Amino acid sequence: MDRIFIIIFFLLFLGTISFSQPKVDSIDYYSEKKELIKAINYAKKKSDDFLAQKKYFDFCRISVRKSKLFGTLNDHEKALNTLYKALSVSEKNKLKGRAEIIEQIATRYSIISDTNRAFKNYYKAKKIALTEKDTASLIHVYHNLFRLHTTKRIDSSYYYMKKKFVLDKLTNSISGLSFSYNNHFVYYTLINEKENAKSYLDSSYNFAVKNNIKSSIIGTLSNYGYYYMQYENNFKKGAETYEKIKNEYKDDLTTFYYVELYLNLVYAYEQIGDYKKANFYSSLAYEYSQKLYNENLSDKIREIETKYNIAKVEDEFKEKSKQLEERQSRNKKIIFIFVALFGFSLVLFYFFYQNLQLKQRNKIKELDSEIQENIINASIDGQEIERKKLSEVLHDNISALLSSAGLHLSAYLVGHKGEIPEEIVKARSLLKEAHDQVRDLSHELVPPVLAKLGLYYAVQDLCEKNSNSVIHFTFNFFGSNQKRYNEDFEIKVYFIITELVNNIVKHSKAKSGYITLEEKNDCIIINVEDNGKGFDSSKTYTSDGFGITQIKARVKNLKGKITITSKINAGTLVYIKLHIPH
């Protein structure tokens, strides 16, 4: 089952972009002739015309088409720029149909393996589609949520699979039903019900061939390859199936599909023992993955989203400032009228005016403070996402490549007769050392115990790692030790506690530290205490230190409360209360 998600993911991703689209003049004409640059130029001209004519709905629709063309060319930066511009126009003009734009944004993130942002935007699109009764977008969202949930949450996978299937039957969507049959194969494969899986796979293939749905034919052939290898142990037949896809449908496969196809061929030929072909396809998979992903891409994409969020906050600030200025202008007129009519009330109104000005300044300060907190939280979110992304890249890509290189060296040594050259032995040793160092770095970025076992065990491990002859940390938990929370919530809470522990170790000069987690009334209560030198928390300081500022901003972003109590030479107690997300 180790390779199941690569093969299933290949099939499911075919379904994310292959549903039928309405014909749009020259865009479809140029696309069918594989003249994508002409299609993009046509779409750009039309979108500029629609924007100039203030036909905002038409502008948003053609922008979605244009982003898909950029995606086909593997230019995810321009695809997301196009989508975020359309989303901004849609929001400013309060248009319907935003669900489709946000669903496409989520799909772009999913293609480049930014799962966290993909989930966030798919859920947002689902909420809007349900509110606006946008069935077409809802089908896409359910399909993609099923796809993303297959790797972790089987119950959720079943839920979204059924939701999509019901809508496909309701709308009598031929392509949608074809992919729904494929989804059933995936689900029953995950729960190891071989007969049901095979039955749905056969139905899907027959349905796709009958209705000439090429993308579904490719997907079902890929799943047949998996079926041959997983259940019939026939790796030769599996390899032949993937070779058939590569040879007969090469014009229908994008860079992403080629990466997954080559990885499947690597696995098949490794099992057969044909290491030469396995190494050949491994090189191709790496080459295509480099086309799909580069280290600057995530930074550029984060910059696109950050610019969109900052622009949105600035627009809200300008709108509120405008309202305040209009209110101030009205109040001035009222004051001047009353001054003219009632001269004897001049002093009274003067104080009223000053008080009103003070309140308005305070409101502007509050807005500025809110913007600063949003920027801090956006920065922290970006750091946590990039930390998790880098850890996944190190573990899943670089570590896998080093392991693969070691495998080929081992295969060479097995087939080599006579004395083994010292350089080969040293090379294998260096590869192993590099692999171990990459693994250790991956674990430092995101502790594996947090991802695998959850918050309780991660905090317990944090206390053990920071305890030594100088300071000892004690951890207590009141609740279910085995309970898992939302992954994003666990990461945020863990790094809040990590920052507090670092403060104790670096600054408190304490000998003992105590961390307590308590689950109570759908809330998690965190107490972090030390017996160090402390400080006078009753006094107001000009700066709490950037670490404390980050913690307070993060707690506020989580809709929680934080209280810091400390006295000089009497230690420090930090109390945090957070609502558990559902």
Side-chain angles (χ1 to χ4, degrees), residues 496-504 508 513-517 524-531 534-535 537 547-548 551-552 555 561-567 570-578:
I496 287 173
I497 297 173
T498 300
E499 184 64 29
L500 292 172
V501 170
N502 288 338
N503 286 344
I504 293 173
S508 72
Y514 307 91
I515 300 176
T516 303
L517 299 183
I524 187 167
I525 298 172
I526 305 166
N527 284 294
V528 179
E529 185 177 2
D530 67 75
N531 62 354
F535 59 92
S537 60
I548 294 297
I551 292 171
K552 287 181 177 180
V555 171
K561 296 180 180 179
I562 180 171
T563 303
I564 301 176
T565 305
S566 183
K567 293 183 180 179
T572 302
L573 171 64
V574 179
Y575 170 88
I576 300 174
K577 183 177 181 181
L578 302 172

Side-chain angles (χ1 to χ4, degrees), residues 157-167 184 188 200:
S157 298
Y158 180 83
Y159 173 81
Y160 289 115
M161 177 185 74
K162 288 299 181 183
K163 283 284 188 180
K164 178 186 181 300
F165 192 45
V166 168
L167 290 181
H184 280 73
Y188 285 112
Y200 276 108

